[in-house]
Amino acid sequence: MAESSNSRKRRKIDPDSQTRIQPETGPTRWRTQAEQQIYSSKLIDALRHVRRGGHGGVRDAADRVLAASARGRTRWSRAILTNRLSLRLAQINRKHKKAARPSAGKSRPRKPAKKLPPVESKVKVLSRLVPGCRKVSLPNLLEETTDYIAALEMQVKAMTFLTGLLNAGAAAPA
Amino acid sequence: MEPELEPPQLQFRSAEMGCAFDDFHGLISTPQVTGGSSFTALLELAPPQAVELLVTEDFPAKQPPPPPIFPTDIGLIHRASKFSVFASADNSMESNTILSVSNSIPVKQEELDADSRRNSSSPAGSDQSLKSGKRKEREKKLKESNKKSKSKAANDDGEELPYVHVRARRGQATDSHSLAERARREKINARMKLLQELVPGCNKISGTAMVLDEIINHVQALQRQVEFLSMRLAAVSPGIDFDLDSLFTVNGSSNDNSYSGIFAPPICTEGQLDGARQLQLQQLWHCDELHQSVWARETDTSNFIAPANSLLSYDSTSANSGKQVAPRCTTS
């Protein structure tokens, strides 16, 4: 009857969803070799465009490429990609105007609140570490952290490989 | 245990009629079965849209439906939830949706998002767990209407189930507050378990605070590593332009041979390359294939930043043949 048709439809959807969902979403996608290769090649390409000097230029490029590989599914990746614009504006403003630091919005007067629960304070620290996750609820924050850690590990692996490669490439012919 | 009940469609049918229920039997005795669309199709829709869809399907004579009036009587809802279909494992997902859609009581958004994601990410796993008898944890008593609105749940990337359903375990308080807290805690604990598996050395630690400490340390360490590596890359990076061939030559010996094959094609096929750069890259590869030894001789990295520009001008004039660019570079 309708029940059986529902269960049949359910079973039909399930293998599809399984194959579709598992490799694409979830933090396990960062583990695949293919993802690392894609990231490495994109990183090399992005490094050509890095402007000369500027502290942390390579770091920002690496993070941006990493966020781009996330395909916009996670909050931290979207935050990294959108932060670039605001940061760039801030840098320009700082250079040109040398305005007073816009600390009014950031560090509001720290009223002593009852932030005793140690778990709560750690959660806040963690939310500051993960980009774009300051006002995110705890379960979402944990999920973002999972993906972020997996992505960071992949980034470290890829960059290690690249530096080794480039160092060997530069050293061998010389 | 829970009584085996009629298929969830009946319940939904009765609920979406929008009439006030005085008697629970009104829920049971409503006959209808939905038409062609199955409820699993409704899973794709956000709840209000799903409700609208169903309402318009079944009552075409009516106007485009106003948000259906669902019973807000808490007692009725509790009774309904108690007697709804919880038992069958296969129908659990559907009954979840149906209950949620039919009862549209606002639930906290984060629970919906998180649980929807969790449900979506492990549909098979949840089915199996259901079949294994964890039915107690699936369904949740309906919340009071004074919880925060879930209007954002529909907008979120929730093509999955938007509602959380947790069953009260035996011997636990069935207060809606504690139910909500318990559901929230379970979600948080599930995420924490995933994180524990991810972070090395967290499996042995017990206690949320310690685990969070470890997680924070791990994230900070990874970020420091990235910073350090980016510094090293920045030091090496001026020599990147000509290093494609070095990658080819080196990769023959390295153990990550899988990398070598992909460096050439992906960079070439990147959509963002403009014509000049693509020409330059192709030129590099052509030269590399034909005159690899010549190319490898050109080791001075500093000479290659200027020739890169000259390459561009050179390429614009010549055809894309396998000309020998290296001698030209050395003269400049």
Side-chain angles (χ1 to χ4, degrees):
Chain A
M1 291 207 17
E3 218 174 324
S4 55
S5 77
N6 285 343
S7 51
R8 250 186 281 125
K9 189 75 180 289
R10 184 82 198 153
R11 257 181 261 124
K12 240 195 287 176
I13 283 186
D14 256 351
D16 284 347
S17 62
Q18 212 170 1
T19 54
R20 203 177 41 230
I21 286 183
Q22 293 294 29
E24 279 187 12
T25 64
T28 51
R29 63 182 170 157
W30 295 109
R31 291 285 171 89
T32 63
Q33 182 81 328
E35 193 70 43
Q36 198 175 342
Q37 290 173 2
I38 293 174
Y39 177 72
S40 307
S41 54
K42 282 194 180 165
L43 180 57
I44 278 199
D45 207 42
L47 284 181
R48 296 172 201 275
H49 295 290
V50 170
R51 309 215 187 137
R52 307 284 288 164
H55 294 289
V58 176
R59 168 93 200 265
D60 289 339
D63 283 342
R64 258 181 286 123
V65 173
L66 185 68
S69 323
R71 300 256 170 260
R73 288 216 186 86
T74 50
R75 185 179 281 265
W76 60 263
S77 60
R78 295 192 287 263
I80 286 181
L81 291 175
T82 51
N83 269 352
R84 187 171 166 235
L85 294 172
S86 47
L87 274 180
R88 192 53 82 183
L89 281 177
Q91 282 178 3
I92 291 175
N93 285 341
R94 236 183 289 142
K95 276 181 196 164
H96 288 185
K97 294 184 189 173
K98 297 204 175 163
R101 293 200 199 112
S103 60
K106 277 276 188 174
S107 61
R108 47 206 151 100
R110 302 265 161 90
K111 298 170 194 151
K114 46 171 179 82
K115 288 302 177 187
L116 276 188
V119 180
E120 179 80 25
S121 61
K122 293 190 186 11
V123 165
K124 283 246 177 324
V125 171
L126 185 59
S127 71
R128 259 185 279 137
L129 279 180
V130 182
C133 287
R134 297 208 180 192
K135 296 188 181 175
V136 166
S137 57
L138 182 54
N140 283 340
L141 175 64
L142 292 178
E143 193 168 337
E144 296 283 327
T145 307
T146 316
D147 203 64
Y148 188 55
I149 288 181
L152 278 181
E153 289 186 357
M154 191 274 287
Q155 188 179 22
V156 165
K157 264 190 246 172
M159 286 174 75
T160 316
F161 177 75
L162 273 184
T163 43
L165 211 53
L166 292 179
N167 279 332
Chain B
M1 294 303 292
E2 302 100 344
E4 193 73 44
L5 272 201
E6 67 281 359
Q9 291 93 347
L10 303 185
Q11 216 174 353
F12 181 88
R13 203 18 95 245
S14 60
E16 60 101 28
M17 269 194 202
C19 48
F21 301 100
D22 301 324
D23 190 8
F24 172 68
H25 290 293
L27 287 176
I28 296 181
S29 58
T30 325
Q32 239 46 49
V33 175
T34 41
S37 72
S38 83
F39 281 97
T40 51
L42 287 178
L43 291 179
E44 325 291 341
L45 299 175
Q49 300 165 11
V51 166
E52 276 200 29
L53 178 63
L54 278 166
V55 170
T56 49
E57 266 186 12
D58 298 315
F59 299 96
K62 272 195 190 170
Q63 292 303 321
I69 303 166
F70 292 121
T72 52
D73 181 18
I74 303 296
L76 174 68
I77 290 166
H78 278 289
R79 276 185 296 155
S81 62
K82 239 186 273 181
F83 285 104
S84 59
V85 181
F86 294 161
S88 108
D90 287 334
N91 289 337
S92 64
M93 298 301 242
E94 295 148 11
S95 61
N96 287 350
T97 325
I98 288 152
L99 265 186
S100 65
V101 174
S102 68
N103 291 310
S104 88
I105 304 292
V107 183
K108 279 190 186 151
Q109 183 214 347
E110 61 258 19
E111 295 169 350
L112 311 177
D113 297 345
D115 203 62
S116 73
R117 264 187 235 119
R118 182 179 61 157
N119 280 340
S120 73
S121 64
S122 59
S126 66
D127 275 349
Q128 290 167 10
S129 69
L130 293 168
K131 281 176 186 151
S132 73
K134 276 194 188 174
R135 296 174 291 178
K136 308 169 200 161
E137 301 180 9
R138 276 188 287 114
E139 305 285 347
K140 176 189 245 172
K141 302 278 172 83
L142 306 166
K143 308 209 139 270
E144 298 168 354
S145 51
N146 57 358
K147 292 276 193 248
K148 281 188 211 149
S149 158
K150 48 119 186 73
S151 55
K152 284 186 280 177
N155 301 337
D156 203 62
D157 50 348
E159 55 273 357
E160 304 90 2
L161 301 175
Y163 285 85
V164 171
H165 295 275
V166 169
R167 182 106 179 131
R169 286 195 202 134
R170 192 187 163 90
Q172 286 182 338
T174 57
D175 185 27
S176 62
H177 282 292
S178 52
L179 271 176
E181 280 175 31
R182 200 174 316 124
R184 191 169 159 269
R185 275 293 135 192
E186 280 174 8
K187 253 186 304 196
I188 291 178
N189 288 338
R191 306 275 161 85
M192 290 280 288
K193 234 179 285 181
L194 283 178
L195 268 174
Q196 271 184 307
E197 292 165 20
L198 205 52
V199 178
C202 259
N203 286 327
K204 301 155 192 156
I205 302 180
S206 61
T208 313
M210 295 294 150
V211 171
L212 278 179
D213 258 345
E214 275 302 313
I215 293 171
I216 289 176
N217 285 338
H218 195 237
V219 170
Q220 280 173 338
L222 283 174
Q223 283 178 341
R224 276 198 301 260
Q225 265 183 307
V226 170
E227 189 88 36
F228 180 63
L229 282 171
S230 74
M231 255 177 10
R232 289 181 66 185
L233 261 183
V236 185
S237 87
I240 270 188
D241 278 332
F242 81 106
D243 265 327
L244 282 177
D245 71 319
S246 76
L247 297 175
F248 295 151
T249 54
V250 168
N251 280 325
S253 53
S254 80
N255 45 7
D256 290 31
N257 272 331
S258 48
Y259 273 76
S260 61
I262 58 99
F263 268 128
I267 297 179
C268 181
T269 56
E270 285 271 348
Q272 57 226 27
L273 291 177
D274 55 17
R277 285 214 49 230
Q278 204 160 11
L279 218 50
Q280 173 192 8
L281 277 175
Q282 287 177 7
Q283 196 71 26
L284 281 177
W285 288 327
H286 277 280
C287 297
D288 184 50
E289 288 160 16
L290 301 177
H291 312 283
Q292 192 169 11
S293 56
V294 176
W295 201 247
R297 260 187 266 132
E298 317 301 281
T299 62
D300 207 340
T301 67
S302 55
N303 280 350
F304 275 81
I305 303 212
N309 298 332
S310 71
L311 255 182
L312 283 175
S313 53
Y314 180 76
D315 291 344
S316 58
T317 57
S318 71
N320 194 11
S321 60
K323 283 202 188 153
Q324 207 166 352
V325 188
R328 186 174 168 97
C329 292
T330 51
T331 56
S332 70

